[in-house]
Amino acid sequence: MIGLERMKRFGIFLAILWMPLCSWAFPDEKVGEINLSISPSQGVFSASERFLYLMDATSAQVSIVDLLTFSEISTFSTIGTPRGIEISDDGLSLYVLTSNADVVYVFDLEDAFSDPVEAETISIGTSAVTFEHMELARLSGGDQLLLVDEGQERLYVYDIETEELQGDGGEAYVQLDFVPVGMGLTPDHLRVALLSEEGQFVTYLLSSLSQVGGDLDMGAYTDTESFSALHMGDLNTGTFGFVVNSLEEGEVFLVDMTDNTFSLALYDSNPNTANLDPLLVGDTPRSLLLIPVQRSLDDEDESDIYLYVSNSGDDTLSIFDGDDVGASGVTEALDTLEGIENVPIRGLISTSDASGYLFALNETDQKISIVTDQPFLTFVSSPEGYVSDGEIEVVCSSSKSGSLKVYRYLGEEDEVISPTNGTLLTSQSITADVETTITVPTDTFEEGGNTLSFFVENGDLLGHGSIEVYLDTVPATPDNFSLAFGDEKIYVRWDGVEASDMDHYLLYFGSTSDAEGGIGSLSSPRQVTHTGTGEMEEILSPIPNGTEVFVRLVAVDERGNVSESTSVLSETAEETQGLLDVVEEHGGCQSREGVSPFWLFLCSVWFWVLKRARFYGMGFVLFSFLIIPSLYAQEAHILKPRNSNSFHSSIAFRVGWWLPHSTAIEEFYGKKGNEHFLLRAGFGWKGLDLGVESGVMTETSSMQGVSSGRASGESMRLTRVPITMSAQYALSISWLGPVSPMLRAGYDFGWFKASQANRSESGIKHSVLGAAGLRLHLNELGFGGDMEELMGVKAFFLEALAQYMHQFSSGLDFGGWMFSPGLGIEF
């Protein structure tokens, strides 16, 4: 027992010693794979680095991988076999170089979850040149595409903004002296380097395309020349080019590019230059990548740099500490990771946010290997298909122990993956490499797809994984279910159910209280397509009048889930009548006998007055019962007109409430809510104002059952457009201050249209009207300041009128009282 206790204490001691080593966050373990439908050869990240776009070097395909769920979400086709892929600095344009000559294809990435749209084709202007390599230089003056033509040993630089080729020495290209097999940009994108298979290394300034630093021949520093890949990166000591010599015992040379006079930083034990050796890697290295890796999630400035080299000969990954490489000259790998297979030349990819994930493409087995030191979740089992309300169980395993938190992901499609972009559902501890069951409540899920994000915190390390869970609940019972009758019809109305997967409704009806069996030739149930969450209507017809129909309704979603039924309602079809059925109306300009010709004559005289008369002669053609008494009142100094020394124009807007004289209109439309919206324009002299007024009234009402008198489901609409010519007089009474009494008389010939289920009539009605009211001059109360000086406004007023209209036309009677407040100006 004592020995076991000592062993336990010793184990704890070793665990404490091991903890600091485990806190390193550079990718050093293959934790999982992402299966693809393509053979990936090169890739780029979206602007948020949530999505990875991968090209297939053997077919015209590009795949999109979502790093929230670590899964392929879609593929889209290209024109020609891809040879290079880049993304713009704003993340909105994807550039794809293919086997087609002279062109680069640009795809729009506005919607990350939709297949990119081919927005345009860039013609480089090189005729039939086919390019083998592409880089995108992001410069302050705009993006530039760097393209290599191996056949003619040329470098082309295409300015995307100006749509022009850049060149050197009068040519639209840079002529090289070798066939380039590799090309790379310095991290600041100011220089480009090119590499030949024999080890020739040259550098050009992108601003001038002039060569800097001379030629460097690395073939002189190795026994076998098989150079294949080039990568640029920054170490703590400066900018370096990393050059791969693909041997059985591979080599990586460092070119110090801190200034324009670069030199080899490491080289072999050549008798003439025996100082240091190159980095020694595995069998046949093909791809390499230098990445900064964040050590602490709490300190974004604390990071280290590591160099990764994939070796295709022995399926290993050599890992070098950047501090050792740049300073002490250590040439052996810090670690060698096995099981990283078939990585192409540009097949190592890492996000730039130093999150500690490295992705190694496998171009023969159609997959990606995930390398990281962060906790990595593997989902052993999760709900398949659809789940209902309640709880779900997810079984997962983590590569590291820690605190597991589950969120319902609520972030935007292009947001960086983070636990802040979601609602916390549950949390618990998880032990490394032990299958753990997590119970997740579904009460906050939305109908359809829900992304669940799992985050494991282990000290400063943070790993994540996600699954998609589909919620499918029974639809709610339709609200506001009601019936209405019509002439040989039953109207069924309800509010559409609010659910993203709603599909249709089933309408059950019959002549018995169980709402089954249908009516006559109408079969039950009837399927009604869901059209939205607003009011829905279905009409059962023909239904013999006098037949009582029983109806109920259920909602059905896309997966066939059926809601609870509404209550059973009943209604009886019945013959209906509308306003036109109870009023003898044939439309047109009909008048009562002996009256209409006079008013038509008066209408003609009024138009003549408006066209011909001058202000000083208008009083002779106005209605004498209004003008003569008012003039007498002025001479007797009983009343005085306002604006007595100037001509004026007026505009007034009023809202009128109409109380119809017709008992039929009152029965169908009532005395409330028959609003008219009116606008009057006039001109005059002293207190007199001549004007024309027009407006609109539109009302809808239900037709009525002939037998029951109840409102039916059938509607009718009444529209009236009054056109009124009137003369009005505003008086001034000293003891009323800013308030003026008003009198008005005029003539109305209003257009109307009455429409109901079985007929429609329209025409013009003729009426005379008289009105009296009060006008309150706001400018005399100090409102508006001196508006005449600023805007030419003489009066700014509120008014209220009581108007009575007497109609002489037969049929529908639009006479009656109207009370209308308004707002207007005189100028």
Side-chain angles (χ1 to χ4, degrees), residues 74 117 131 151 242 258 260 275 309 316 337 417 455 486 509 621 635:
S74 67
V117 177
F131 305 109
F242 300 85
T258 304
N260 291 337
N275 288 321
V309 183
T316 62
L337 183 62
I417 300 168
F455 289 88
F509 58 93
V621 294
E635 291 297 326

Side-chain angles (χ1 to χ4, degrees), residues 659 661 768-772 802-807 813 815-818:
L659 279 62
H661 178 268
V768 292
L769 60 89
Q803 172 181 298
Y804 186 80
M805 185 166 62
H806 178 70
Q807 179 175 299
D813 185 358
W817 284 98
M818 183 185 298

